[in-house]
């Protein structure tokens, strides 16, 4: 049994801790916040989109790049910065937008998503975790025939990998999800993935951490920042926490966001960049959607979580630090009212649980899951797919660590 420290108690860090204790290791989980899941995992879109985790860099997005830079696309904003690291990330992003790289990156992400789906099924078979989980299915709405035609290539790739997708017209989709009658725009076609799910990641983290503490002896150190990691000649990793406390471990896994200095030391220049998103959580009306929905016209997602609807979207890329922008949140609110106004109650700002967060994303959209140094590992850079990919990337890291520690 080895002793590990996992840095970062977001959804990826918690899943990594679970994978390591499941393999028989002793784990200490450290986070600078006083509660787990307070970063980009806190109020994300809530969708476990196993069959829809396409890489962001794509030929389609590249064809709209000028429109995005000129701010004619409300879903995206690029804030150009005279920052060498940002410019390098942008260049790598554009290179990943070729047809071949998009296909390769998406295939990689889908394979990891399938591993996540299997791991979630196994986890919930063994343990009763309450986090508003439901296998609700997911519909991707395409408002134009060109958009739907483009989706058919992805449909062929995903079905070849075993995802049971269906191509539907509006009437067929409405027979499954009657709330589509409230959608005001044309629907040229729908891609339906019946096995996709929803769940609240912050509740998942809380309940899984309780389980790990009770049954596996996980040590949780909240309100502590890891200031420094260093390998020693004796094959251990010295970890310095806030206040100067130093603890030695056999290994360390960094699962932090874009604000972490220790992550930047090991990921490399321009390896990831924050992509800011927004969400709100509103009361559902009786006839609100049960199936998760992605509106491709507006690039926003809708997920039913209990008696509420989580609405999320916006992708803003630019500055290193992010702050809440009332105008951008207003764009999300306006889009939600245009799409499904009859399905939920959108009241005053204070009742919407407004949230913004920065998701560290790689130019390829592939998470960084690798050994960074002797005894130091990385599991980060998931972008907007952290909730979907967390268990899969943790399993991949677990296999790497198993090979290293049994060599």
């Amino acid at each position: 049994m080895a002793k590990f420290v996992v840095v970062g108690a977001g959804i990826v860090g918690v899943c990594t801790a679970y994978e390591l204790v499941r393999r028989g290791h002793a784990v200490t989980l450290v986070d600078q916040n006083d509660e787990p899941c307070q970063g980009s995992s806190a109020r994300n879109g809530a969708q476990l989109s196993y069959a829809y985790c396409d890489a962001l860099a794509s030929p389609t997005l590249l064809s709209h790049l000028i429109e995005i830079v000129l701010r004619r696309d409300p879903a995206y904003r690029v804030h150009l910065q005279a920052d060498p690291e940002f410019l390098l990330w942008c260049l790598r992003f554009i290179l990943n937008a070729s047809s071949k790289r998009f296909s390769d990156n998406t295939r990689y992400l889908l394979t990891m998503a399938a591993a996540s789906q299997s791991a979630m099924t196994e986890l919930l078979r063994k343990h009763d975790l309450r986090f508003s989980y439901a296998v609700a299915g997911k519909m991707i709405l395409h408002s134009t025939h060109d958009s739907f035609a483009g989706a058919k290539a992805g449909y062929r790739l995903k079905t070849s990998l075993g995802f049971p997708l269906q191509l539907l017209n509006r009437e067929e989709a409405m027979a499954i999800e009657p709330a589509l009658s409230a959608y005001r725009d044309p629907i040229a076609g729908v891609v339906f993935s019946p096995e996709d799910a929803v769940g609240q990641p912050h509740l998942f983290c809380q309940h899984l951490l309780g389980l790990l503490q009770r049954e596996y002896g996980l040590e949780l150190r909240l309100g502590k920042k890891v200031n420094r990691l260093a390998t020693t000649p004796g094959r251990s990793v010295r970890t310095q926490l806030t206040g100067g406390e130093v603890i030695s471990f056999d290994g360390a896994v960094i699962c932090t966001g874009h604000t972490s200095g220790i992550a930047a030391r090991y990921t490399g220049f321009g390896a990831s960049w924050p992509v800011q998103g927004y969400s709100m959580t509103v009361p559902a009306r009786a006839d609100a959607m049960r199936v998760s929905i992605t509106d491709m016209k507006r690039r926003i997602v809708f997920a039913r979580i209990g008696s509420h609807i989580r609405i999320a979207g916006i992708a803003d890329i630019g500055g290193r630090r992010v702050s809440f922008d009332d105008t951008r949140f207003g764009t999300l609110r306006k889009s939600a009212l245009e799409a499904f106004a009859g399905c939920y109650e959108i009241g005053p700002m204070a009742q919407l649980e407004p949230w913004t967060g920065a998701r560290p994303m790689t130019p390829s959209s592939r998470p960084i899951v690798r050994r960074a140094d002797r005894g130091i590992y990385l599991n980060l850079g998931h972008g907007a797919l952290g909730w979907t990919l967390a268990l899969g990337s943790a399993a991949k890291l677990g296999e790497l660590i198993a090979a290293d520690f049994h060599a």
Side-chain angles (χ1 to χ4, degrees), residues 5 7 226-241 245-254 262 265-266 373-377:
V5 59
V7 186
V226 175
N227 294 321
R228 187 168 180 268
L229 292 173
T231 57
T232 70
R235 290 180 60 87
S236 66
V237 178
R238 288 169 58 84
T239 306
Q240 184 185 69
L241 305 180
E245 180 183 5
V246 176
I247 310 173
S248 291
F249 297 91
D250 299 305
V253 186
I254 303 172
I262 60 168
R265 174 183 173 186
Y266 293 104
D373 199 351
R374 190 184 73 244
I376 299 178
Y377 301 84

Side-chain angles (χ1 to χ4, degrees), residues 45-385:
Q47 296 187 2
L48 290 157
S49 300
Y50 301 119
Y52 188 75
C53 49
D54 300 31
L56 183 61
S58 68
T60 300
L61 186 66
L62 190 61
S63 69
H64 290 89
L65 189 58
I66 299 300
E67 183 180 17
I68 292 169
V69 170
L70 294 177
R71 300 194 172 187
R72 294 174 181 169
D73 187 324
Y76 298 101
R77 285 286 184 274
V78 176
H79 304 279
L80 296 177
Q81 308 286 322
D83 183 318
E85 186 171 14
F86 172 67
L87 296 175
L88 177 60
W89 185 91
C90 289
L91 175 60
R92 289 173 173 169
F93 183 89
I94 291 171
L95 292 174
N96 274 282
S98 69
S99 295
K100 184 179 187 309
R101 289 197 180 185
F102 169 71
S103 179
D104 290 346
N105 292 333
T106 298
R107 182 182 294 272
Y108 179 92
L109 294 169
L110 288 167
T111 301
M112 183 174 284
S116 274
Q117 186 177 29
S118 296
M120 180 66 82
T121 300
E122 180 65 14
L123 173 61
L124 297 182
R125 185 184 67 80
K126 292 180 178 179
H127 304 289
D128 182 21
L129 301 179
R130 304 297 177 90
F131 57 101
S132 303
Y133 177 77
V135 180
K138 179 181 174 77
M139 290 183 174
I140 314 296
L141 309 185
H142 295 272
S143 61
T144 68
H145 292 288
D146 286 345
S147 176
F148 190 47
K152 290 179 181 178
Y155 167 84
R156 290 189 291 270
L157 170 61
K158 294 166 186 178
T159 52
S160 73
L161 294 173
F163 292 98
L165 304 186
Q166 302 172 29
L167 299 178
L168 309 174
N169 59 34
R170 183 170 194 144
E171 290 71 27
E172 292 167 334
M174 284 177 58
I176 298 170
E177 177 49 82
L180 288 178
S181 62
Y183 189 70
R184 301 178 178 182
D185 294 316
I187 298 178
V190 175
V191 182
F192 178 46
S193 50
E195 294 183 356
D196 279 357
V198 296
Q200 298 201 61
H202 73 286
L203 293 179
F204 176 85
C205 285
Q206 291 172 10
H207 289 283
L208 183 55
L209 282 175
L211 170 73
L212 298 184
Q213 289 177 292
R214 291 191 307 271
E215 299 190 14
Y216 294 92
L218 174 83
E219 183 178 352
L220 185 59
R221 303 288 298 275
L222 297 176
K224 294 284 186 179
K225 184 176 181 179
V226 175
N227 294 321
R228 187 168 180 268
L229 292 173
T231 57
T232 70
R235 290 180 60 87
S236 66
V237 178
R238 288 169 58 84
T239 306
Q240 184 185 69
L241 305 180
T242 305
E245 180 183 5
V246 176
I247 310 173
S248 291
F249 297 91
D250 299 305
V253 186
I254 303 172
C255 304
T256 55
H258 74 285
T259 58
S260 168
I262 60 168
R265 174 183 173 186
Y266 293 104
T267 54
F269 193 75
S272 70
W273 197 261
V275 176
Q276 185 177 4
Y278 291 79
S279 80
M280 58 183 174
T281 308
V282 298
R285 290 178 175 166
D287 54 354
M289 64 279 293
R290 298 284 176 175
V291 174
S292 293
I293 292 174
T294 294
D295 181 351
M296 291 299 291
K297 177 181 178 179
R298 297 173 178 85
R299 300 284 179 175
I300 57 176
V301 301
F302 304 85
R304 179 69 172 263
I305 45 176
S307 61
H308 287 71
I309 304 293
R310 174 70 50 79
I311 305 169
I314 306 295
D316 289 354
I317 309 171
R320 291 178 181 271
R321 298 187 179 278
V322 303
S323 58
F324 193 91
D325 185 325
D326 289 334
T327 300
R328 294 301 282 148
F329 183 81
T331 298
L332 177 67
R333 184 179 184 277
K334 178 176 180 289
S335 294
L337 285 169
E338 289 174 350
F340 287 101
C343 288
Y344 32 70
E345 304 287 346
I346 298 185
M349 182 77 156
Q351 298 176 9
L352 301 181
E353 298 185 31
W355 175 87
T356 189
R359 296 78 57 98
M361 177 178 286
T362 64
S364 65
S365 294
R366 299 189 186 198
I368 301 170
V369 185
R370 62 176 175 85
R371 182 194 312 106
D373 199 351
R374 190 184 73 244
I376 299 178
Y377 301 84
L378 305 175
N379 188 9
L380 42 77
H382 296 64
L385 297 172

